[in-house]
Amino acid sequence: QFYLRKFTAVQGNMKKTWALINDLRGKSKTNIKASFIIDGKLVNDKRKISNGFNEFFSSVARKLNVKLNSSKLADKVTCDVDYLEYLKNRVSGSIFLSPCSSSEIEFKVKEFDNNKASDISVTLLKKCMPHISWQLANFFNNFMKSGTFPQVLKIGKVTPVFKKGDSQIF
């Protein structure tokens, strides 16, 4: 009866019906506030928020190292073996990666989760893969062969996902 009343309330409105279905499936979109508290101040500027996220996440390792080095645990952790013992025959100027094939790329793309967000539809990408995998393999192999990687492919899109607590503090 509960669900029947919910669907009856949105009857005739497809948009609200799908919103209800997605909500019941746990797939509803939550509105992430476009403001965050950084250093005790409410910030609305997207660039400052982005820089705040960058500073926060890039400082995690540094803060953990400081915490570890100042703890009593650091005094107890000792290593009597020199790390060079494990790196006797180190080759500093060489690394070998086998060229990738179009079938390897198709296999990896098939493993992508259809429900993950992306600028390109994962389902569409999977359907196009037999037609474009050979060219992608060619690109990747040329990048590895030349030792260069295009700047445009070094850019990542990071989307913060709110988990719990105050959604404005990070």
Side-chain angles (χ1 to χ4, degrees):
Q1 291 295 343
F2 173 77
Y3 295 113
L4 181 61
R5 282 193 303 271
K6 287 220 176 245
F7 279 102
T8 303
V10 296
Q11 186 175 6
N13 187 330
M14 268 310 186
K15 188 173 183 177
K16 288 185 178 180
T17 300
W18 278 108
L20 175 61
I21 290 169
N22 286 328
D23 186 45
L24 294 173
R25 290 178 55 223
K27 298 282 186 176
S28 62
K29 292 182 180 179
T30 57
N31 291 331
I32 298 176
K33 297 175 184 172
S35 61
F36 289 89
I37 297 172
I38 303 173
D39 297 328
K41 297 176 186 171
L42 187 64
V43 177
N44 294 317
D45 179 37
K46 290 181 181 181
R47 185 167 303 276
K48 288 181 181 177
I49 292 171
S50 175
N51 288 336
F53 272 105
N54 185 39
E55 174 59 32
F56 174 79
F57 288 108
S58 64
S59 68
V60 170
R62 183 177 65 246
K63 289 177 182 175
L64 285 174
N65 284 337
V66 167
K67 188 175 182 179
L68 177 64
N69 289 335
S70 66
S71 71
K72 292 180 181 177
L73 177 65
D75 297 335
K76 295 179 183 177
V77 177
T78 58
C79 185
D80 296 332
V81 181
D82 185 11
Y83 76 94
L84 291 174
E85 279 292 312
Y86 295 101
L87 302 173
K88 291 178 183 173
N89 300 322
R90 185 168 181 240
V91 179
S92 61
S94 175
I95 184 169
F96 178 77
L97 298 171
S98 299
C100 65
S101 66
S102 59
S103 58
E104 182 180 5
I105 291 187
E106 287 183 46
F107 177 77
K108 286 297 179 187
V109 171
K110 282 180 185 175
E111 293 179 339
F112 289 0
D113 186 351
N114 288 341
N115 297 322
K116 294 292 180 182
S118 176
D119 287 344
I120 301 171
S121 163
V122 174
T123 305
L124 178 65
L125 188 63
K126 286 180 178 181
K127 288 181 181 181
C128 293
M129 200 46 52
H131 307 288
I132 63 173
S133 61
W134 66 272
Q135 188 60 55
L136 291 173
N138 190 31
F139 284 143
F140 295 145
N141 290 331
N142 283 334
F143 298 155
M144 292 299 135
K145 197 181 298 182
S146 68
T148 60
F149 202 76
Q151 284 296 118
V152 71
L153 296 179
K154 294 179 183 179
I155 298 171
K157 182 179 180 182
V158 178
T159 305
V161 177
F162 174 68
K163 298 290 184 181
K164 62 182 177 178
D166 188 340
S167 64
Q168 290 187 320
I169 297 176
F170 64 90

